[in-house]
Amino acid sequence: MPNSLRAKCIIVGDSCSGKSAITQVFHSDGSHFPKNYAMTTGVELVTKPVHVQDTHDAVELFIYDSAGKELFSDMVQNHWANPSMVVVVYDVTNETSFNSCAKWLERVRSQKPSVTMPSVLIANKIDLDERRVVSMKEGQDFADSNGLEYFECSAKEMQNVEQPFLYLAKTFHKLYQDRIEYFMSMT
Amino acid sequence: MFDVALSAAGAQISFATSCDENFPPEHIIDGKDDTFWSSTGLFPQEFVVTFASLMNINTIKIECSNVRKLLIERSVQNEPDDFEPVEQKDMENSDGQWQSEEISVSNMTAVHLKFTVMAAYDHFVAVHRLHVDGNAVHG
């Protein structure tokens, strides 16, 4: 019987960067892109099991799609206790959203400062190439210096949306294996 | 007095929030130091130990790893419900090494003990052993 791990995945970033679109495209296996904008107020929770490649195991992701508007900041952070992993999203056509990434990352990491959390940075809306203002290099550099894995995606084109989540599940599974080995070594 | 939290003494795990088949909650009460129950992500994590009958309990000792905040509750009902708090403990960080916590509870009765890991020092915790010193209540 395969084992199922569980992980709390916090999605953050400025409002309108596409957190909910990414969440919904991933959750629906690419069958649903929300064409009309609906501001997230608070936190929306979806769950999805992700199979870990080359194993019989799966990681069930509890995805906390969190409002990006500062107005909801305090309320949103009440839902972040004991995070397992973090996704920081920005919009490549919006420099402000990129500049906010450090703030968002810090807020989630401060919930559990003593633990390494699998973390990714998603550069969203890469389909809007002619309006792009944040380059791949800038994104990659920020990711590298902050311990994040960098991904580019387009939720609208359903391009590369799954990859960050597969990476997170794989990394979390690896953490579990390492911990189990450590527990076994102590006996 | 003897250890009533052993499967050999008729104790059972009646509930647990994680079950990796290689590290199941039954390992907590198998009497062995080289086996353990591991949690598989998310908090809180719980398990309930059900004794063979109503027990008079003197001490509870738990050996675990990575636990930060532990809540112990008891129930005297036949079914594991109506739990009431016994003790809440903040445990020291031992970087994954064994933590040991002994709690004296003179003359407490219980059929079930519920252990809740409210918070941890890592994504995963292990519980290696549980010792509950007690006697069956006769009457």
Side-chain angles (χ1 to χ4, degrees):
Chain A
M1 200 183 84
N3 275 312
S4 188
L5 304 180
R6 293 187 179 131
K8 181 167 176 174
C9 177
I10 313 287
I11 304 205
V12 292
D14 275 3
S15 63
C16 300
S17 55
K19 299 177 294 299
S20 302
I22 289 170
T23 305
Q24 287 172 36
V25 167
F26 173 65
H27 184 238
S28 66
D29 288 319
S31 66
H32 177 64
F33 172 76
K35 288 199 185 66
N36 296 311
Y37 176 70
M39 183 171 67
T40 307
T41 58
V43 171
E44 282 175 19
L45 172 64
V46 301
T47 67
K48 188 177 163 99
V50 178
H51 175 250
V52 181
Q53 225 183 351
D54 303 323
T55 71
H56 295 295
D57 300 338
V59 178
E60 191 179 1
L61 298 180
F62 289 67
I63 302 172
Y64 287 62
D65 176 20
S66 305
K69 273 260 185 286
E70 280 301 325
L71 177 63
F72 304 110
S73 175
D74 288 348
M75 179 172 114
V76 159
Q77 289 184 57
N78 287 336
H79 295 275
W80 290 355
N82 297 311
S84 314
M85 45 180 65
V86 53
V87 175
V88 184
V89 180
Y90 69 93
D91 168 0
V92 294
T93 71
N94 180 333
E95 182 124 36
T96 312
S97 74
F98 178 63
N99 293 335
S100 297
C101 288
K103 170 189 82 182
W104 288 112
L105 185 62
E106 169 53 31
R107 282 187 188 171
V108 183
R109 286 190 170 159
S110 67
Q111 294 279 333
K112 213 165 184 178
S114 59
V115 180
T116 351
M117 264 190 281
S119 317
V120 298
L121 179 66
I122 300 183
N124 190 31
K125 309 196 191 180
I126 55 165
D127 53 291
L128 301 174
D129 198 31
E130 70 288 355
R131 282 166 50 193
R132 184 166 186 158
V133 293
V134 185
S135 70
M136 183 191 271
K137 184 172 184 310
E138 284 173 276
Q140 181 77 61
D141 286 350
F142 177 81
D144 290 348
S145 50
N146 288 280
L148 300 155
E149 191 76 10
Y150 177 72
F151 293 89
E152 300 211 322
C153 91
S154 162
K156 180 164 170 279
E157 301 300 325
M158 301 184 179
Q159 191 188 338
N160 214 31
V161 171
E162 223 182 0
Q163 275 66 21
F165 295 98
L166 300 183
Y167 166 83
L168 287 170
K170 192 174 119 195
T171 310
F172 192 70
H173 183 262
K174 176 77 169 54
L175 280 177
Y176 180 68
Q177 299 296 331
D178 291 351
R179 199 59 72 230
I180 288 291
E181 263 176 43
Y182 185 68
F183 289 148
M184 287 174 75
S185 72
M186 286 187 304
T187 56
Chain B
M1 283 295 141
F2 62 103
D3 191 351
V4 296
L6 286 174
S7 44
Q12 288 182 319
I13 300 288
S14 42
F15 177 75
T17 45
S18 286
C19 192
D20 180 330
E21 60 179 358
N22 295 314
F23 310 97
E26 284 73 20
H27 281 176
I28 298 167
I29 55 168
D30 65 2
K32 296 178 191 157
D33 283 341
D34 60 351
T35 63
F36 57 88
W37 170 62
S38 86
S39 76
T40 58
L42 298 188
F43 291 100
Q45 289 282 335
E46 296 182 1
F47 64 92
V48 174
V49 178
T50 299
F51 303 119
S53 62
L54 183 66
M55 298 291 172
N56 244 323
I57 294 169
N58 279 342
T59 58
I60 301 168
K61 186 179 173 195
I62 186 166
E63 315 216 42
C64 47
S65 298
N66 291 335
V67 174
R68 183 176 199 147
K69 207 173 271 254
L70 179 70
L71 173 68
I72 304 175
E73 294 167 283
R74 67 159 187 156
S75 160
V76 294
Q77 309 297 325
N78 285 332
E79 297 298 316
D81 53 20
D82 288 336
F83 280 95
E84 51 184 89
V86 173
E87 184 97 35
Q88 182 158 333
K89 282 277 175 194
D90 288 317
M91 299 177 77
E92 304 239 322
N93 192 358
S94 59
D95 284 324
Q97 301 286 319
W98 279 40
Q99 302 162 295
S100 186
E101 190 74 51
E102 190 166 326
I103 296 143
S104 295
V105 284
S106 56
N107 280 328
M108 184 188 84
T109 54
V111 181
H112 316 272
L113 286 180
K114 176 154 87 180
F115 297 80
T116 307
V117 180
M118 316 281 291
Y121 291 105
D122 188 59
H123 296 293
F124 308 104
V125 299
V127 178
H128 308 274
R129 276 281 274 131
L130 178 70
H131 307 261
V132 177
D133 272 335
N135 282 113
V137 174
H138 298 288

